[in-house]
Amino acid sequence: MTAIAAPRPLRNRYAADLGLAALAPASWGTTYVVTTTLLPDGRPLLAATMRALPAGLVLLAANRRLPKGSWWWKSAVLGVLNFGAFFPLIFFAAYRLPGGVAATIGSVQPLVVAVLSLLVLHARPARAVLYSAIAGTGGVALLTLTGDARLDPLGIAAMLTATSLMATAIVLAKKWGRPESPIVMTGWQLTVGGLVLAPFTLAFEGVPTSLTGQNVLGFVYLGVIGTAIAYALWFRGIDRLPPTSVSLLGLTNPMVATLAGLLILGQTLTGWQIVGFTVALGALVAGQAFNRRS
């Protein structure tokens, strides 16, 4: 039987959707550099709150649309999964784990999404896609892990939980669809996540006595580029692409983080890291190709 190729406009639209969605994890790959160079030290809850709440309130005010019916509780669930719980867990893991260990754990997300898609959406990903996801995790491990990496149990638990929460949010968002545009839904979820985080920030870290110009620049960058715009593109991708396609795009996060370390922090790559970067990039491209065919 001869395979029928998809019409060119459809292929072009699929490629455009992939490219726009990939901008989200690519921007998240700069978070480590921004956090270490611009944000105040030792304030993970403040960083998480400032990343979510201001952006959410601005989007809410700009769009002037509120959820209706069941979307009040659905937005609350997605807001907690994507922001209210995910953000502090990520920052907690970052403080207790080397970046390489955190990135390697995070790269298993496509496998978690594949399992949840089978259970919730009854969608079975192609074996080639699963092999690509496994290869991607191996590539990220070669790229980011070092021989002296310390394995903190609490940090590992936090990163695994955060990865599972985001995978769950991807599958639920795919199951529930969307009643509004991605930018509107981004505002709903960011506001919920920020409101959940705010009291914990005030209770455990308090209000900073002062902020430098660099701190403000870092918060603005993470809030506007790394959160409001990035998550609007991410949710748009969830709406238009298969769940495993979206989750595989997460491999761009550690790759961009590595490039940012090279260009901004003056880091260098070993031979094995170059191999890992190549394997991760190849797995990303192959996984998307197999996903589009299936």
Side-chain angles (χ1 to χ4, degrees):
M1 180 179 295
T2 305
I4 300 175
R8 184 175 297 274
L10 291 179
R11 294 201 301 269
N12 291 342
R13 187 174 66 181
Y14 188 88
D17 291 339
L18 278 175
L20 289 173
L23 292 176
S27 71
W28 301 334
T30 64
T31 301
Y32 176 76
V33 171
V34 172
T35 300
T36 55
T37 58
L38 297 179
L39 298 190
D41 294 330
R43 287 184 172 270
L45 288 174
L46 175 66
T49 304
M50 291 298 292
R51 187 176 175 184
L53 188 56
L57 293 176
V58 168
L59 291 178
L60 205 61
N63 293 303
R64 299 182 181 180
R65 299 187 69 85
L66 294 175
K68 296 179 181 179
S70 64
W71 273 99
W72 279 102
W73 69 264
K74 289 179 180 178
S75 297
V77 169
L78 293 175
V80 171
L81 290 174
N82 279 316
F83 305 111
F86 178 77
F87 276 180
L89 285 170
I90 284 293
F91 280 108
F92 179 82
Y95 274 90
R96 301 187 70 97
L97 293 175
V101 176
T104 302
I105 296 173
S107 68
V108 305
Q109 187 187 91
L111 299 175
V112 180
V113 168
V115 173
L116 292 176
S117 295
L118 182 61
L119 296 175
V120 178
L121 304 177
H122 306 294
R124 186 187 299 273
R127 289 186 179 181
V129 175
L130 296 179
Y131 295 153
S132 297
I134 295 172
T137 298
V140 171
L142 287 174
L143 175 64
T144 59
L145 288 179
T146 59
D148 57 350
R150 51 187 173 83
L151 302 179
D152 179 83
L154 288 178
I156 291 174
M159 193 64 202
L160 282 173
T161 303
T163 300
S164 300
L165 290 179
M166 193 171 191
T168 303
I170 290 174
V171 175
L172 287 179
K174 194 69 179 178
K175 178 180 176 63
W176 291 338
R178 62 175 177 87
E180 293 282 354
S181 68
I183 197 74
V184 171
M185 294 185 64
T186 301
W188 297 347
Q189 294 180 45
L190 281 172
T191 302
V192 169
L195 290 175
V196 169
L197 286 166
F200 291 98
T201 302
L202 293 175
F204 292 104
E205 293 182 2
V207 178
T209 55
S210 63
L211 292 175
T212 67
Q214 284 189 335
N215 297 156
V216 173
L217 179 62
F219 285 130
V220 169
Y221 173 83
L222 288 180
V224 176
I225 304 297
T227 303
I229 295 176
Y231 274 95
L233 294 174
W234 185 248
F235 295 149
R236 178 184 181 275
I238 291 175
D239 182 58
R240 299 189 178 202
L241 299 168
T244 46
S245 280
V246 177
S247 58
L248 275 170
L249 292 175
L251 294 175
T252 61
N253 186 328
M255 290 191 289
V256 170
T258 300
L259 293 176
L262 287 172
L263 298 175
I264 299 175
L265 302 180
Q267 298 172 345
T268 58
L269 290 181
T270 65
W272 281 114
Q273 286 177 308
I274 294 174
V275 171
F277 189 97
T278 304
V279 170
L281 180 60
L284 173 61
V285 173
Q288 299 301 343
F290 290 132
N291 238 327
R292 185 174 64 85
R293 292 175 184 174
S294 60

